[in-house]
């Protein structure tokens, strides 16, 4: 446990940040080897990424337990609460910039790079250096290139699973908001019901996204090798799916804490922080649905 020094809480030394850095490195290392393994060849990347994921889950469990114990011990005063709120705001801002960079890459590739490859600007027909039937257009109309670099592909129709997932996330924003209001009103049973619905909706979103990915690979030939379109599609939707996964896990932990009676009407920042994060994830998806699937 940490110590109170005046208006500030000074935590004890913790090894969890080091553990987090190690397991995240292991996970990314395994993912890189798995994705870059030659087709048909066995890769140790799957084993490494599995070890990394297990390590991340254990790290979350241990780190969350330490923070929860400090909170229940009454170590956090109003100054600490303000610090937590400011920290969460800056964290979400950093996440906004994270996705803004990827949306910027999408905009640049679509509005500038592709037209330039088609000969716009200085009039140089650069497609003659690519392949004969290259078309300077976005999506499947532009072609995925010759067979050895991806081949033709189809895009995911926006009015199927993407629309359904949009409705699911919008509904989940409503359910988590109702749960928040129920917490402030002291209706613990209502909190548990609507928070459980939010977790269920998040898990359902991930299930449908996994189904969409399998359909894209097997039926549409839309893969990571499908040119810049495939790269940006899976980069944006994949990172968003990772954020939904983390948000769902955090919501499940908050549900367990509510069931144990950890929060009160006036002191429940952990609940609010996860709700803020979940609303952020929902807003990002609306941007994805518009710019990746529809336009």
């Amino acid at each position: 446990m940490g110590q109170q020094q005046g208006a500030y809480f000074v935590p004890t030394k913790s090894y969890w940040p080091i553990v987090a850095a190690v397991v995240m490195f292991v996970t990314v290392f395994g993912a890189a080897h798995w994705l870059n393994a030659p087709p048909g060849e066995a890769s140790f990347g799957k084993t490494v990424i599995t070890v990394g994921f297990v390590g991340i889950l254990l790290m979350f469990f241990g780190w969350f337990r330490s923070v929860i114990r400090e909170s229940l011990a009454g170590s956090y005063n109003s100054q600490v609460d303000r610090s937590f709120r400011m920290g969460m705001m800056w964290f979400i801002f950093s996440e906004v910039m994270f996705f803004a960079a990827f949306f910027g890459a999408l905009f640049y590739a679509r509005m500038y790079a592709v037209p330039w490859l088609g000969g716009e600007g200085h009039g140089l027909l650069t497609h003659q250096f690519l392949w004969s039937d290259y078309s300077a257009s976005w999506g499947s109309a532009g072609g995925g290139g010759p067979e050895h670099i991806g081949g033709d592909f189809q895009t995911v129709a926006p009015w199927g699973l993407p629309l359904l997932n949009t409705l699911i996330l919008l509904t989940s924003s409503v359910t988590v908001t109702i749960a928040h209001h129920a917490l402030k009103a002291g209706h613990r049973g209502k909190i548990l019901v609507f928070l459980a619905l939010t977790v269920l909706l998040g898990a359902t979103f991930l299930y449908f996204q996994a189904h969409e990915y399998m359909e894209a690979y097997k039926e549409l030939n839309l893969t990571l090798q499908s040119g810049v379109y495939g790269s940006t599609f899976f980069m944006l939707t994949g990172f968003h799916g990772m954020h939904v996964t983390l948000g769902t896990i955090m919501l499940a932990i908050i549900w367990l804490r509510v069931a144990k009676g950890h929060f009160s009407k006036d002191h429940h920042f952990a609940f609010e922080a996860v709700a803020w994060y979940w609303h952020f994830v929902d807003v990002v998806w609306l941007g994805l649905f518009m710019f990746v699937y529809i336009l």
Side-chain angles (χ1 to χ4, degrees), residues 198-258:
T198 308
V199 174
L200 179 61
L201 290 168
T204 303
F205 174 92
L206 293 171
Y207 170 81
F208 283 133
Q209 187 174 53
H211 182 78
E212 177 185 280
Y213 277 10
M214 291 187 290
E215 181 181 348
Y217 262 74
K218 294 179 181 179
E219 300 181 16
L220 305 179
N221 195 36
L222 176 60
T223 69
L224 282 168
Q225 287 74 41
S226 299
V228 68
Y229 182 90
S231 299
T232 53
F233 174 84
F234 286 104
M235 177 177 64
L236 281 164
T237 59
F239 271 118
H240 180 268
M242 182 187 72
H243 283 72
V244 173
T245 302
L246 292 175
T248 303
I249 292 172
M250 290 189 292
L251 285 168
I253 293 172
I254 293 298
W255 186 93
L256 291 173
R257 293 194 62 187
V258 171

Side-chain angles (χ1 to χ4, degrees), residues 83-96:
S83 298
F84 280 156
R85 291 177 186 277
M86 290 300 297
M88 191 64 188
M89 289 176 185
W90 282 112
F91 170 70
I92 291 178
F93 177 76
S94 71
E95 292 286 273
V96 170

Side-chain angles (χ1 to χ4, degrees), residues 23-47:
V23 295
M24 290 177 70
F25 173 81
V26 170
T27 303
V28 174
F29 181 80
H33 276 267
W34 182 24
L35 293 174
N36 289 283
E41 292 188 14
S43 172
F44 69 93
K46 290 184 179 181
T47 302

Side-chain angles (χ1 to χ4, degrees), residues 4-295:
Q4 291 283 357
Q5 294 186 3
Y8 295 92
F9 170 74
V10 180
T12 56
K13 293 181 179 180
S14 174
Y15 52 82
W16 290 118
I18 299 176
V19 174
V22 171
V23 295
M24 290 177 70
F25 173 81
V26 170
T27 303
V28 174
F29 181 80
H33 276 267
W34 182 24
L35 293 174
N36 289 283
E41 292 188 14
S43 172
F44 69 93
K46 290 184 179 181
T47 302
V48 176
I49 196 174
T50 301
V51 172
F53 273 128
V54 173
I56 288 176
L57 292 176
L58 292 176
M59 178 271 297
F60 273 127
F61 178 82
W63 204 343
F64 282 9
R65 182 178 60 179
S66 298
V67 175
I68 290 170
R69 285 178 175 176
E70 291 175 349
S71 177
L72 294 177
S75 300
Y76 301 155
N77 55 25
S78 59
Q79 175 62 41
V80 176
D81 184 76
R82 285 193 295 271
S83 298
F84 280 156
R85 291 177 186 277
M86 290 300 297
M88 191 64 188
M89 289 176 185
W90 282 112
F91 170 70
I92 291 178
F93 177 76
S94 71
E95 292 286 273
V96 170
M97 294 296 100
F98 177 85
F99 278 99
F102 289 148
F103 277 112
L106 171 65
F107 177 80
Y108 180 85
R110 185 170 181 175
M111 302 303 296
Y112 291 99
V114 170
W116 286 342
L117 288 173
E120 289 188 11
H122 296 291
L124 179 63
L125 298 178
T126 50
H127 69 268
Q128 63 182 305
F129 302 111
L130 299 175
W131 54 89
S132 59
D133 60 344
Y134 171 76
S135 175
S137 56
W138 188 249
S140 59
E147 187 65 31
H148 68 283
I149 56 171
D152 292 333
F153 64 90
Q154 300 178 49
T155 60
V156 178
W159 310 119
L161 285 180
L163 176 61
L164 178 60
N165 268 348
T166 302
L167 297 175
I168 288 174
L169 279 188
L170 290 176
T171 304
S172 71
S173 276
V174 175
T175 55
V176 76
T177 300
I178 294 175
H180 188 198
H181 285 292
L183 177 56
K184 291 191 290 186
H187 300 152
R188 196 162 295 271
K190 189 176 181 180
I191 305 169
L192 292 172
V193 171
F194 282 93
L195 200 54
L197 285 175
T198 308
V199 174
L200 179 61
L201 290 168
T204 303
F205 174 92
L206 293 171
Y207 170 81
F208 283 133
Q209 187 174 53
H211 182 78
E212 177 185 280
Y213 277 10
M214 291 187 290
E215 181 181 348
Y217 262 74
K218 294 179 181 179
E219 300 181 16
L220 305 179
N221 195 36
L222 176 60
T223 69
L224 282 168
Q225 287 74 41
S226 299
V228 68
Y229 182 90
S231 299
T232 53
F233 174 84
F234 286 104
M235 177 177 64
L236 281 164
T237 59
F239 271 118
H240 180 268
M242 182 187 72
H243 283 72
V244 173
T245 302
L246 292 175
T248 303
I249 292 172
M250 290 189 292
L251 285 168
I253 293 172
I254 293 298
W255 186 93
L256 291 173
R257 293 194 62 187
V258 171
K260 291 186 176 183
H262 282 189
F263 300 117
S264 66
K265 298 178 182 179
D266 301 319
H267 300 285
H268 53 263
F269 172 70
F271 186 106
E272 289 182 298
V274 175
W276 292 355
Y277 183 84
W278 194 252
H279 290 310
F280 157 75
V281 168
D282 292 348
V283 171
V284 170
W285 177 257
L286 292 177
L288 282 172
F289 182 62
M290 178 65 67
F291 294 105
V292 175
Y293 289 97
I294 297 179
L295 297 180

